[in-house]
Amino acid sequence: MSIICGLPLLECVYCLACARWAWKRCLHTAGHDSETWGIASAEEFEPVPRLCRYILAGYEDDLRHPLWEPPQGYGLDPDWLILRRDYNETHGRAPPYILYLDHDHADIVLAIRGLNLAKESDYAVLLDNKLGQRKFDGGYVHNGLLKAAGWVLDSECDILKELVEKYPNYTLTFTGHSLGSGVAALLTMVVVQNRDRLGNIDRKRIRCYAIAPARCMSLNLAVRYADVINAVVLQAIYTRTNSFFMDDFLPRTATPLEDIFKSLFCLPCLLCLRCMRDTCIPEEKMLKDPRRLYAPGRLYHIVERKPFRCGRFPPVVRTAVPVDGRFEHIVLSCNATSDHAIIWIEREAQRALELMLEEDHIMEIPAKQKMERQETLAREHSAEYKAALRRAVTLSVPHAYSPSPYGTFEEQEEREHPDRPSGDSSTGSSKKSKTRESWDELIERFFEKDESGHMVLRKSQRKDNA
């Protein structure tokens, strides 16, 4: 066709398409993903920098004589450290972690370290997965991370149960960075499914903070567990006048973790090719793929740069429970991997928290009004969570369901039988299958089909009612 017309039409169309793709990619900044989200408050964001320091403390051999302590310290009392597990004790089944009893904040914290590039066992956890390999609670999860989470629960179940029962007013927090964030998120899901193993702990006492999270669960699970799982993503926005900018690549790329680390030495090429490939896939098709993994839970996005401006701006923290537009675009960055570091995340999170507290101090908010604001925040989060569940159903996300205004059958059953165990975690769906069977039995008992095929009340029931 190019020869007949005398003009290279196909080549021109191809070049224009490539130019349009490159232009949109250059204009897309990290802040676009969260520009419609709400601003996080100091009360809800307060645990983030503190938990980052707890994760950092897991790298120390002796907390009484720390070697890499940040300027403000770790904020831990060595006497309150319950246990520490290193690679020799985990046998490579899970990353190292610490269990800390935080009396100052009424919290039981299990903090899991991130990926160690020098340890083959960490790679083994990452590589133990294939697309759609492992199902859990009606969705898909990363197989290796789920195995690591199960190992941690089996190992520390007794001591966690003892602490939960001894301190009934304390929260149980799982936190981790990078590889540890995926283990912590899936560990939270396993604990929620097996609350009877921890003395029937209330779901409201369980929470998770995944720092720089890995994509470890399908979209329906990421939204469904957003009431207990929180993910923190640090990204500053690209500026044309300054070549330094941040963009944490791990929560954004849908490339399987095993493929990323198999191609570690050509990671920029891999991310660029994946970026071009994902551009050609409609978002509707991505949402309807039940095996596609996403960053877990409620997202907190730390943004500290504005497009086309010089210098560094005060960090702003935005939060939401997104369904579509859940960090689906890779922002091209020369520091995509270095800014994934927990040290930098802790620093920027602390700066953001200090600015929030300073603003509250300037406004001189009374204590009573602060309590009212916390109650309002809890209601807003609950409403946002339910709206996200409905949004997932609207977008036809596989295995998503909308919350009932009257509560689910399981919730009613739990209220009537609070001492009943919560079920088995191997499939996460045995209780739901029993629920469906019981509803089918009830329908068959009270209703029957008439000649036209419609469901009507059985004659025996009509006589009883009469």
Side-chain angles (χ1 to χ4, degrees):
M1 184 174 180
S2 300
I3 298 175
I4 295 175
C5 298
L7 293 173
L9 294 180
L10 294 177
E11 290 79 358
C12 290
V13 170
Y14 177 78
C15 291
L16 287 174
C18 291
R20 179 180 178 273
W21 175 87
W23 177 252
K24 291 185 69 175
R25 277 297 173 189
C26 290
L27 285 181
H28 183 86
T29 64
H32 285 162
D33 292 310
S34 61
E35 59 187 355
T36 59
W37 298 4
I39 302 297
S41 65
E43 290 81 7
E44 61 179 311
F45 193 71
E46 180 274 331
V48 173
R50 171 166 52 87
L51 294 174
C52 287
R53 289 190 287 272
Y54 291 175
I55 297 171
L56 284 170
Y59 290 89
E60 296 282 2
D61 295 327
D62 185 2
L63 284 176
R64 299 186 186 276
H65 303 90
L67 300 177
W68 303 288
E69 190 175 21
Q72 67 274 29
Y74 291 119
L76 279 80
D77 187 338
D79 295 330
W80 296 348
L81 185 66
I82 305 299
L83 59 84
R84 174 198 302 274
R85 302 288 188 222
D86 57 16
Y87 284 105
N88 294 328
E89 294 173 289
T90 62
H91 306 292
R93 302 287 298 278
Y97 56 88
I98 63 172
L99 181 60
Y100 180 68
L101 186 59
D102 188 355
H103 292 292
D104 291 336
H105 300 89
D107 199 6
I108 304 167
V109 182
L110 194 149
I112 308 174
R113 283 168 43 175
L115 175 73
N116 187 339
L117 295 176
K119 284 292 181 180
E120 294 182 2
S121 59
D122 284 359
Y123 291 105
V125 173
L126 284 174
L127 299 177
D128 185 15
N129 186 62
K130 293 181 180 178
L131 187 63
Q133 178 180 354
R134 189 63 178 266
K135 283 189 174 183
F136 184 90
D137 195 18
Y140 289 89
V141 297
H142 189 284
N143 183 58
L145 296 178
L146 182 63
K147 285 183 178 179
W151 186 91
V152 173
L153 180 60
D154 291 338
S155 301
E156 314 303 342
C157 179
D158 293 337
I159 190 168
L160 286 175
K161 181 179 179 181
E162 179 184 345
L163 292 173
V164 166
E165 293 178 343
K166 186 176 180 180
Y167 302 96
N169 296 324
Y170 282 29
T171 53
L172 176 60
T173 302
F174 301 104
T175 185
H177 168 250
S178 187
L179 173 68
S181 69
V183 177
L186 296 185
L187 176 58
T188 304
M189 294 172 56
V190 173
V191 168
V192 168
Q193 290 290 325
N194 293 268
R195 284 174 288 153
D196 56 307
R197 296 186 63 182
L198 298 184
N200 288 316
I201 181 174
D202 188 3
R203 180 182 175 123
K204 294 180 180 179
R205 292 177 59 190
I206 305 171
R207 62 179 185 172
C208 170
Y209 285 88
I211 312 299
R215 288 178 171 237
C216 56
M217 62 183 68
S218 55
L219 183 56
N220 63 321
L221 296 179
V223 175
R224 190 188 309 166
Y225 285 88
D227 59 328
V228 292
I229 300 178
N230 307 279
V232 181
V233 180
L234 169 65
Q235 280 156 319
I237 300 179
Y238 169 72
T239 61
R240 284 195 172 187
T241 52
N242 193 331
S243 61
F244 175 84
F245 61 102
M246 291 183 295
D247 188 24
D248 187 357
F249 78 96
L250 196 57
R252 287 184 174 275
T253 176
T255 306
L257 295 176
E258 58 272 18
D259 292 344
I260 289 178
F261 288 94
K262 282 177 183 177
S263 309
L264 187 63
F265 296 103
C266 59
L267 180 59
C269 301
L270 177 67
L271 293 181
C272 184
L273 291 174
R274 184 73 189 198
C275 180
M276 296 181 67
R277 176 181 175 274
D278 286 350
T279 302
C280 302
I281 301 177
E283 188 172 2
E284 293 79 8
K285 185 177 180 180
M286 294 182 186
L287 292 174
K288 292 181 180 179
D289 185 359
R291 304 169 301 169
R292 188 179 178 87
L293 302 183
Y294 291 80
R298 169 177 287 275
L299 297 178
Y300 289 88
H301 192 194
I302 307 175
V303 181
E304 69 159 5
R305 285 188 179 275
K306 296 183 179 181
F308 309 111
R309 298 192 186 181
C310 300
R312 184 177 297 175
F313 285 78
V316 176
V317 182
R318 302 169 185 161
T319 181
V321 186
V323 181
D324 47 339
R326 195 179 181 90
F327 289 144
E328 288 304 306
H329 298 285
I330 298 176
V331 179
L332 303 178
S333 168
C334 58
N335 294 318
T337 54
S338 62
D339 295 320
H340 179 69
I342 182 67
I343 298 176
W344 191 265
I345 296 174
E346 185 275 332
R347 186 185 309 169
E348 294 304 317
Q350 183 63 36
R351 284 185 61 213
L353 179 61
E354 290 173 356
L355 290 173
M356 294 178 191
L357 295 174
E358 183 179 346
E359 183 178 351
D360 287 351
H361 179 71
I362 293 174
M363 295 174 65
E364 296 182 353
I365 301 175
K368 183 179 180 180
Q369 190 173 348
K370 284 185 178 180
M371 293 180 62
E372 293 176 354
R373 187 172 68 173
Q374 290 179 2
E375 295 175 357
T376 303
L377 180 66
R379 288 195 298 268
E380 289 176 353
H381 277 197
S382 178
E384 190 175 11
Y385 169 64
K386 293 178 181 178
L389 291 175
R390 290 190 291 268
R391 176 68 175 166
V393 174
T394 303
L395 295 174
S396 302
V397 174
H399 310 297
Y401 61 85
S402 181
S404 170
Y406 304 103
T408 62
F409 186 82
E410 292 180 33
E411 290 173 351
Q412 295 173 4
E413 195 173 39
E414 285 179 5
R415 285 194 292 269
E416 296 172 1
H417 308 282
D419 298 330
R420 184 174 296 178
S422 58
D424 182 17
S425 70
S426 59
T427 61
S429 60
S430 59
K431 193 171 184 179
K432 293 180 181 179
S433 61
K434 292 178 182 177
T435 300
R436 286 194 294 269
E437 290 173 4
S438 61
W439 277 115
D440 292 339
E441 291 173 0
L442 287 172
I443 292 172
E444 187 176 354
R445 178 181 172 185
F446 289 98
F447 297 91
E448 62 182 357
K449 289 186 178 181
D450 59 8
E451 296 178 355
S452 60
H454 297 96
M455 298 297 292
V456 296
L457 196 65
R458 287 184 178 273
K459 293 181 180 179
S460 59
Q461 297 299 326
R462 281 184 240 166
K463 292 179 181 178
D464 292 342
N465 292 339

